[in-house]
Amino acid sequence: MNTVQHDVKGMKFAQDALGDRLARRQMRFEHDRGQDIMEEIQYEKHSVAQDLCWPDNRRIAVVFNLAYEMWSPGVTSGVGPMGNVLTDGLFDPNADSYGRYNATHGIPRLVSILERHGIPATLMTSGLVAEAYPDQLRAYAEQGHDIVGHGLAQNLVFPTLSADDARHSITRSTALIETATGQRPTGWISPRVTSSPQIQAMLSAQGYTWHGDALDGDQPYVQRFDKGEILAIPMSVEFNDLPHAMRFGRTPGQFVDLFREALVGVQAQPAETVIFDVFAHGHCYGRPAAAWAIEDIAKICRQDGSLWVTTRTEIAAHCARVRGLAS
């Protein structure tokens, strides 16, 4: 899609529901509005298996998570290349331009890298991306990549939303992805990997079979609510390009070293069933000077036959099979 087409799409967004109260309200954090959807609700927690293994008795799964993101009109990425952040609520064209790179250049580059090595991506997809680039998203789905719900826009973080706006974010982004790809997504990872049991119950009610909004374990587990259930597939947090580059100021080479050293270290320990999540954002490590690091990690994975290089939806499917065999 060229720049003119992209601008036309942007004008359309400003005129539709995304220019309404939902987008305007999210330009600042309002804790009271989100408090009701972050309150705990009761659910039962069940392990998938007593000694869960991945297919062929492998112990380490590797998932490449690509953040395919957009922001609401008038809202920019929360991070950018400039150290001097604009204050007083000023719109930052620099940060806006930085974030736009994600969908137009960064994700296509990262996807092409993984495809060269026969690796499917878990594409965490904003609803706005599905609306702006439906043909590209459909092509990714047809190529076997895992299209995962990621909220309507990256700035619509669940703790800042009312229950109605949270439900709208889920239903609208789901519908946009389904319209673009012809398939309803079955997995969900929230913006900032941040939701609550109440949101997770909403996801279950809307037909989602798994979510990745958990950091409290190493292996998947089942959340059973009064009505329905959902599989939580916890995220690992060590290999994420945004904090690696933006918070800690580390290099792409150090990113590769971090992965390689962790792999060697875990393989030297008594066997555990774990997931290594590699996160790359199109506007960060989707750029030429850093994307090579993702390729180097892909090469490491392809050279090690003991690894299960997979997607989160495939992990969910494996867990369903294991549960079926155990019942």
Side-chain angles (χ1 to χ4, degrees):
M1 177 175 294
N2 62 34
T3 304
V4 174
Q5 290 174 314
H6 181 71
D7 290 345
V8 170
K9 288 284 188 181
M11 292 172 64
K12 176 180 180 296
F13 291 153
Q15 296 170 356
D16 69 10
L18 297 172
D20 68 6
R21 61 188 176 84
L22 187 59
R24 293 195 301 270
R25 286 178 181 177
Q26 301 319 307
M27 296 182 72
R28 66 185 186 278
F29 180 86
E30 300 178 63
H31 178 268
D32 290 345
R33 294 180 59 245
Q35 188 173 7
D36 60 333
I37 64 168
M38 299 309 291
E39 292 175 351
E40 291 291 320
I41 63 172
Q42 296 299 313
Y43 66 89
E44 296 178 0
K45 182 175 178 180
H46 300 271
S47 64
V48 172
Q50 191 166 12
D51 185 22
L52 179 67
C53 286
W54 305 131
D56 300 320
N57 291 317
R58 286 173 287 190
R59 289 290 187 169
I60 302 175
V62 181
V63 179
F64 286 82
N65 305 276
L66 304 186
Y68 200 7
E69 299 169 343
M70 288 182 70
W71 288 258
S72 300
V75 183
T76 68
S77 167
V79 297
M82 298 296 106
N84 53 330
V85 179
L86 297 185
T87 59
D88 300 324
L90 290 174
F91 177 79
D92 188 347
N94 179 281
D96 179 62
S97 182
Y98 177 76
R100 287 179 184 273
Y101 189 94
N102 181 304
T104 58
H105 293 77
I107 290 298
R109 177 175 290 114
L110 291 169
V111 169
S112 68
I113 285 172
L114 294 182
E115 287 181 346
R116 286 201 294 272
H117 297 280
I119 294 175
T122 292
L123 279 166
M124 305 181 294
T125 306
S126 299
L128 292 191
V129 167
E131 187 171 37
Y133 305 101
D135 294 341
Q136 184 64 76
L137 189 63
R138 177 182 286 272
Y140 289 156
E142 290 174 348
Q143 290 157 13
H145 299 290
D146 189 12
I147 311 302
V148 175
H150 194 43
L152 192 55
Q154 186 60 15
N155 54 291
L156 302 180
V157 182
F158 279 125
T160 72
L161 303 180
S162 69
D164 286 344
D165 287 348
R167 191 171 293 104
H168 175 76
S169 178
I170 296 169
T171 57
R172 180 64 177 152
S173 55
T174 302
L176 288 169
I177 291 173
E178 184 174 12
T179 297
T181 65
Q183 296 182 339
R184 189 177 181 87
T186 60
W188 181 277
I189 299 170
S190 296
R192 202 174 172 272
V193 193
T194 301
S195 67
S196 68
Q198 187 168 343
I199 294 296
Q200 292 147 20
M202 283 186 193
L203 292 169
S204 173
Q206 295 205 29
Y208 280 90
T209 60
W210 67 265
H211 72 83
D213 296 345
L215 303 174
D216 59 347
D218 297 313
Q219 297 180 14
Y221 59 86
V222 177
Q223 293 172 285
R224 189 165 296 156
F225 301 98
D226 287 340
K227 297 180 180 179
E229 65 178 35
I230 194 167
L231 183 72
I233 307 178
M235 291 282 185
S236 59
V237 299
E238 291 79 13
F239 318 115
N240 189 321
D241 62 335
L242 272 184
H244 181 88
M246 296 297 185
R247 184 186 304 168
F248 303 119
R250 296 171 181 157
T251 68
Q254 289 173 311
F255 195 69
V256 178
D257 290 343
L258 182 67
F259 182 89
R260 182 186 293 109
E261 291 168 2
L263 183 59
V264 171
V266 169
Q267 290 175 328
Q269 298 297 308
E272 291 186 81
T273 300
V274 298
I275 301 171
F276 276 15
D277 282 297
V278 179
F279 285 91
H281 298 70
H283 49 299
C284 187
Y285 269 23
R287 296 172 187 268
W292 64 266
I294 303 304
E295 179 146 33
D296 275 12
I297 293 175
K299 290 177 181 177
I300 291 170
C301 292
R302 274 299 174 223
Q303 292 167 359
D304 189 337
S306 70
L307 304 178
W308 183 32
V309 185
T310 186
T311 67
R312 258 183 166 65
T313 292
E314 289 178 344
I315 290 175
H318 174 71
C319 290
R321 289 191 294 270
V322 170
R323 293 178 68 196
L325 291 172
S327 62

